[in-house]
Amino acid sequence: MLKYIIPTMMLMPLTWLSKGNMIWINSTTHGLLISLTSLLLMNQFSDNSLNFSLVFFSDSLSTPLLILTMWLLPLMLMASQHHLSKENLTRKKLYITMLILLQLFLIMTFTAMELIFFYILFEATLVPTLIIITRWGNQTERLNAGLYFLFYTLVGSLPLLVALVYLQNTTGSLNFLVLQYWVQPLSNSWSNVFMWLACMMAFMVKMPLYGLHLWLPKAHVEAPIAGSMVLAAILLKLGGYGMLRITTFLNPLTEFMAYPFIMLSLWGMIMTSSICLRQTDLKSLIAYSSVSHMALVIVAILIQTPWSYMGATALMIAHGLTSSMLFCLANSNYERIHSRTMILARGLQTFLPLMATWWLLASLTNLALPPTINLVGELFVVMSSFSWSNITIILMGLNMVITALYSLYMLITTQRGKYTHHINNISPSFTRENALMSLHMLPLLLLSLNPKIILGPLY
Amino acid sequence: MNLFSSFTLITLLLLTIPIMTTSSDNYKTSNYPLYVKTTISYAFITSMIPTMMFIYTGQEMIISNWHWLTIQTIKLSLSFKMDYFSMMFVPVALFVTWSIMEFSMWYMHSDPNINQFFKYLLLFLITMLILVTANNLFQLFIGWEGVGIMSFLLIGWWYGRADANTAALQAILYNRIGDIGFILAMAWFLTNLNAWDFQQIFALNPNDSNMPLMGLALAATGKSAQFGLHPWLPSAMEGPTPVSALLHSSTMVVAGIFLLIRFHPLTENNKFAQSILLCLGAITTLFTAMCALTQNDIKKIIAFSTSSQLGLMMVTIGINQPYLAFLHICTHAFFKAMLFMCSGSIIHSLNDEQDIRKMGGLFKAMPFTTTALIIGSLALTGMPFLTGFYSKDLIIEAANTSYTNAWALLMTLIATSFTAIYSTRIIFFALLGQPRFPTLITINENNPFLMNSIKRLMIGSLFAGFIISNNIPPMTVPQLTMPYHLKMMALTVTILGFILALEISNMTQNLKFNYSTNIFKFSNMLGYFPTIMHRLTPYMNLTMSQKSASSLLDLIWLENILPKTTSLIQTKMSIMVTNQKGLIKLYFLSFLVTIAVSMILFNFHE
């Protein structure tokens, strides 16, 4: 595991010792090299996990998320260049350091073997994210957004700490690998119900569950581009990952505790998609679409069947890449129009045809066009929820319709129609931006050739 | 592997070559459209080989090429089904597309993005062929969604126009509603049969197949514009005419019917599903034929006639004659594509005028187009020994002699006679009489691209029905004996329609236009369906999302319950607990009192 952690740490001195004009290229190249070495993790040669040490391990569930984390760092760096061009050198270096620190924490979170260690790192990721949001956000509301972000996540996750301490006391170990063979079925008592809630709530807030999602649109909208990307792509998936890991200890309580949350998710999925239909703010639309997609993941995880787990994992990876790409596209619009309002960026297809292609591809993957992995994920989730209860197909189907509608509404509003006159002198899209989009798109397309590697444990 | 499967694969591979070479210089030249067209013609010729082998020997085949995914007990692989339906449909689709491509070279020649247009059309064709040849539901779904998205892109081709964008979005919306049904069927087959491959599904042949069949019916309703989800088809006429000819008449819209034909082993044992499909089809065919009667936009009339024919195909599936429905798909493709191309020729020559009231007398100015249009209309109405006759007449006869719902039959017959009426209307208004278009228009139909493409389909409209129905292996035995009046029924109602329309048109041509009746308004306003459904539903839905989902729940309730309440409680508590109340006068007063008292005490100290 040190082969990922040490290079990532060494990225920091690399950044600080680089000359001013080299900081971006150096950190991006090395980030990409690290992400290439992470592909070795794909070689999961047995059904068990790869145990690197007593502290770190990875299995087929964490590997895709781990690779996604490492893949995203260079992309974040590429996306932030324009945004930081006005800042001075030290601040740029500080910004990059924050991103690297975040990646470091995330890598360790996804590979942590101990639940307490996982918890500490899970909380540690809040710090760099908070700094990125509140220091480099664009408007004053960023402070409020940072406050929401911090408080929602912290309040949600503190009970988890208590529950973990209790678990440690009763079972004697919090090791993922040991615990799954060790756990006893929980009895149906009030204290266990509260323990279930304490364990799940931390991740549900992070996902976010509908009703606890208010921090997400605010944080997304106010964060700088790299912050939005990493939030949408990885931080939300931390919640899903945690839920997938921790539900193994909570049986058989999940079977009936899941009902209110599944219902809330199904309801919230429709509600947040409907909100997307009325959004005028591009980033807010993408943020709400994330909430709606994550609701599907919550449903899938709570249903607890092999198909639903596979669907949840695939959907997390697919949504990570897609929403990150959508945020990048929104950012490239923002850098030209200087506004997030969609109506001000009409008819861009005439000016930036290649960018319009990226928009089209991103929207199509967002609405889960077959045979992309987004569809694989969604289809599996729909299948498993259908076999759980036939009625859910109505809500799922409705959500599919609305998702298609708002994705294409976003596409049509920004790309089609007559252009406005104030965009006559916008700059053409840079190679950097096109490279950024293609680096998002290529994994999405290539993964649809072999989705098996992101389905998690195949049971 | 013999010639049969390899040539089918070659056909499919050939079509992907122009897509693959997008990044080469070939794509940047003006020869790209010609290249695409030629590729399709080669693909057509190649596809004829397996089709002829099929006709000769009747062999069918399934090939599984590339193993994609195995999850638990379900195996998904790239698999092609080369059976009666796909083998017959592929050449027809390729032939029609070939002509349409040639037509687009004329129609779209001034478009700066013509290469991209051709690439889109080709991509559409490929997805359609994926749909037709797919052997499992997932692969079919790829084609199914693919044609939907390509239709979105092609309808919205002129992306500067708001109408085009709306129509494109509308098409996707209705298609997506249909997709719910498709997903439902997929989920049902997976959970109950654990199979997505067709042969496995049919081998298991479940008894209680109502739910998946209703899902498939919903899917077909969306894709094939059956009643309830039909308004997108006429709106789709916002797209360029070649798109209307290819997608919205001959290929994409029949995908829904095709899906039901594929699943006929399940429908043939299910009386409930059959009745539903029969009623749905009958309502569609009558309703859309009625809407076509009073339209003035030439493309809209043809679009509604397409919808009406799709309803007829649905009726055919409802009376358990899937092979006849399939025959109608094949024959319909020829003349309907040609009708659209003729209307495109007229529209282009009259400077983008689509209103039939502003045409007239075109038989002198455009003799070739007139000929083609009349042949196409006659074929559409089922004139004996033209292409449409071979399928339509059989369908009506089969409906007449089957134990079917009398109402459905009556509606179908009325719709059949309406077909003749609106066809007459187009001919009468656009082609006959005196010219009503501006005199400064230069009409020219002597372009080889236009002439050749229409000519080819005209030959198809004349002989294709004869050729196809003479060569296909007999799958259904037509009713050989029936009473005289039943045999003549289809022909009678059609001729009745013709005579009626011609007489009324002749009689009322110079009359004053009366204040329109309610029936006329019903037909002209498309049964008030779009007015109601396209105003009320989006209005309610969007208001709901704004008022309750966004404002009430997200911005007020959820915001108030957690963050605002927490901060409020904190503020109140801190105020309550603290000593500092900000009462400055009182503090100073107490200060003053203290000083005063101490002073006094000091003074009186002794």
Side-chain angles (χ1 to χ4, degrees), chain A residues 205-360:
Chain A
V205 173
K206 196 83 185 176
M207 279 294 272
L209 182 74
Y210 179 76
L212 304 170
H213 68 280
L214 279 191
W215 64 273
L216 185 96
K218 285 186 201 291
H220 269 309
V221 170
E222 298 304 330
I225 170 65
S228 307
M229 282 168 72
V230 75
L231 262 177
I234 303 166
L235 288 179
L236 303 187
K237 278 65 190 180
L238 266 182
Y241 174 75
M243 278 170 85
L244 281 170
R245 284 269 183 241
I246 212 157
T247 36
T248 43
F249 315 144
L250 298 174
N251 274 334
L253 224 51
T254 317
E255 277 164 29
F256 74 90
M257 284 301 288
Y259 284 103
F261 296 99
I262 291 180
M263 271 156 60
L264 199 59
S265 293
L266 286 171
W267 166 249
M269 167 176 91
I270 305 285
M271 280 292 124
T272 42
S273 310
S274 310
I275 291 173
C276 284
L277 284 176
R278 288 306 288 248
Q279 284 299 321
T280 50
D281 182 334
L282 192 50
K283 274 183 117 176
S284 181
L285 196 162
I286 304 168
Y288 273 110
S289 120
S290 294
V291 183
S292 148
H293 279 98
M294 283 301 109
L296 278 178
V297 176
I298 297 183
V299 171
I301 293 173
L302 290 179
I303 287 175
Q304 285 191 299
T305 60
W307 272 75
S308 75
Y309 276 2
M310 285 187 266
T313 323
L315 193 57
M316 283 201 286
I317 303 293
H319 174 260
L321 286 164
T322 312
S323 64
S324 169
M325 181 173 181
L326 282 172
F327 274 118
C328 287
L329 286 166
N331 184 56
S332 77
N333 268 8
Y334 179 74
E335 282 168 5
R336 290 178 172 74
I337 315 290
H338 306 293
S339 167
R340 296 189 311 262
T341 311
M342 276 196 285
I343 206 85
L344 293 176
R346 279 168 304 175
L348 281 180
Q349 185 170 1
T350 325
F351 290 91
L352 310 169
L354 187 54
M355 216 32 115
T357 313
W358 297 124
W359 268 105
L360 175 70

Side-chain angles (χ1 to χ4, degrees), chain B residues 203-477:
Chain B
L204 291 168
N205 205 353
N207 289 323
D208 52 338
S209 55
N210 279 344
M211 202 200 296
L213 282 179
M214 284 307 101
L216 292 174
L218 179 62
T221 311
K223 196 62 105 190
S224 292
Q226 299 296 309
F227 183 78
L229 302 177
H230 64 278
W232 70 270
L233 188 58
S235 306
M237 296 302 125
E238 283 297 328
T241 304
V243 175
S244 313
L246 181 58
L247 274 67
H248 306 124
S249 63
S250 45
T251 41
M252 172 199 162
V253 287
V254 298
I257 306 291
F258 189 86
L259 181 74
L260 290 176
I261 292 175
R262 265 265 180 272
F263 276 90
H264 80 269
L266 296 190
T267 42
E268 70 186 357
N269 299 325
N270 193 321
K271 290 281 174 257
F272 173 70
Q274 278 179 29
S275 328
I276 294 277
L277 293 180
L278 176 70
C279 294
L280 182 67
I283 293 172
T284 310
T285 189
L286 181 65
F287 179 78
T288 46
M290 203 145 77
C291 290
L293 289 180
T294 53
Q295 296 304 305
N296 290 318
D297 184 331
I298 184 166
K299 275 178 80 178
K300 282 245 166 88
I301 300 179
I302 305 178
F304 274 118
S305 98
T306 306
S307 221
S308 175
Q309 295 303 309
L310 290 169
L312 187 64
M313 293 171 201
M314 193 65 110
V315 167
T316 321
I317 296 173
I319 55 171
N320 206 2
Q321 296 283 2
Y323 288 94
L324 276 185
F326 180 73
L327 188 62
H328 198 53
I329 287 181
C330 291
T331 54
H332 176 251
F334 288 97
F335 52 78
K336 195 44 71 70
M338 189 180 68
L339 281 178
F340 266 111
M341 279 151 67
C342 292
S343 72
S345 160
I346 294 173
I347 291 166
H348 204 77
S349 295
L350 296 185
N351 260 347
D352 299 332
E353 182 54 68
Q354 305 201 359
D355 196 328
I356 52 169
R357 288 168 300 185
K358 297 186 187 167
M359 296 172 182
L362 285 174
F363 73 102
K364 284 239 168 81
M366 311 179 82
F368 177 71
T369 308
T370 305
T371 317
L373 190 65
I374 290 178
I375 290 177
S377 298
L378 289 180
L380 172 69
T381 49
M383 175 82 181
F385 313 118
L386 293 185
T387 294
F389 171 76
Y390 291 94
S391 52
K392 203 171 177 180
D393 200 55
L394 276 182
I395 291 174
I396 305 282
E397 277 173 14
N400 274 340
T401 49
S402 71
Y403 297 105
T404 181
N405 188 331
W407 274 108
L409 177 63
L410 194 64
M411 281 159 115
T412 316
L413 285 177
I414 295 173
T416 311
S417 101
F418 279 176
T419 311
I421 295 182
Y422 57 70
S423 299
T424 319
R425 212 165 149 260
I426 296 183
I427 294 172
F428 187 84
F429 277 92
L431 306 178
L432 308 180
Q434 301 300 320
R436 294 183 294 276
F437 47 85
T439 44
L440 287 172
I441 281 175
T442 49
I443 293 176
N444 183 11
E445 52 168 9
N446 294 319
N447 189 302
F449 287 138
L450 174 69
M451 299 273 275
N452 287 340
S453 54
I454 294 187
K455 211 182 286 173
R456 208 174 295 128
L457 283 182
M458 191 153 69
I459 294 168
S461 305
L462 287 171
F463 303 114
F466 178 74
I467 295 170
I468 293 177
S469 52
N470 258 327
N471 282 313
I472 48 172
M475 292 294 181
T476 42
V477 184

Side-chain angles (χ1 to χ4, degrees), chain B residues 554-570:
Chain B
D554 244 51
L555 297 177
I556 299 175
W557 269 107
L558 294 177
E559 186 90 34
N560 273 341
I561 286 175
L562 274 174
K564 291 268 171 70
T565 315
T566 316
S567 87
L568 195 73
I569 291 172
Q570 293 295 327

Side-chain angles (χ1 to χ4, degrees), chain A residues 148 152 213-214 271 274 278 288 306-307 310 367 369-370 379-380 383 386-387 390 408 416-417 448-449 451, chain B residues 66 68 71-72 145 149 156 159 165 172 176 183-184 187 191 196 211 542 545-546 549 553-554 558-559 563:
Chain A
Y148 269 64
Y152 264 91
H213 68 280
L214 279 191
M271 280 292 124
S274 310
R278 288 306 288 248
Y288 273 110
W307 272 75
M310 285 187 266
L367 64 83
L369 187 79
L379 201 60
F380 284 12
M383 299 296 154
F386 178 80
S387 69
N390 288 357
L408 293 174
R416 305 287 178 87
S448 51
L449 290 182
Chain B
W66 170 51
W68 186 56
I71 312 157
Q72 296 182 326
E145 285 291 286
I149 289 299
Y159 56 82
N165 287 327
I172 281 289
R176 271 266 153 173
I183 294 272
L184 168 69
T191 43
W196 274 348
M211 202 200 296
L542 290 176
S545 28
Q546 174 74 21
L553 280 176
D554 244 51
L558 294 177
E559 186 90 34

Side-chain angles (χ1 to χ4, degrees), chain A residues 135-202:
Chain A
R135 173 60 192 85
W136 279 278
N138 289 314
Q139 311 176 62
T140 340
E141 285 84 10
R142 67 180 188 269
L143 299 174
N144 193 18
L147 208 62
Y148 269 64
F149 169 65
L150 197 66
F151 267 80
Y152 264 91
T153 331
L154 270 184
V155 170
S157 60
L158 281 175
L160 176 62
L161 183 63
V162 182
L164 288 185
V165 170
Y166 170 75
L167 266 177
Q168 166 78 28
N169 274 339
T170 48
T171 57
S173 167
L174 284 179
N175 194 310
F176 280 130
L177 299 180
V178 177
L179 210 56
Q180 58 188 339
Y181 302 112
W182 191 245
V183 280
Q184 318 274 313
L186 291 181
S187 61
N188 185 1
S189 69
W190 273 104
S191 55
N192 280 338
V193 166
F194 279 113
M195 194 181 82
W196 191 94
L197 280 177
C199 286
M200 294 303 263
M201 264 310 158

Side-chain angles (χ1 to χ4, degrees), chain B residues 120-132 139-140 142-148 150:
Chain B
Y120 280 5
L121 279 187
L122 187 62
L123 265 178
F124 162 75
L125 180 69
I126 291 173
T127 45
M128 187 68 204
L129 293 187
I130 290 175
L131 192 156
V132 173
Q139 204 177 332
L140 192 93
I142 296 176
W144 184 265
E145 285 291 286
V147 290
M150 291 323 288

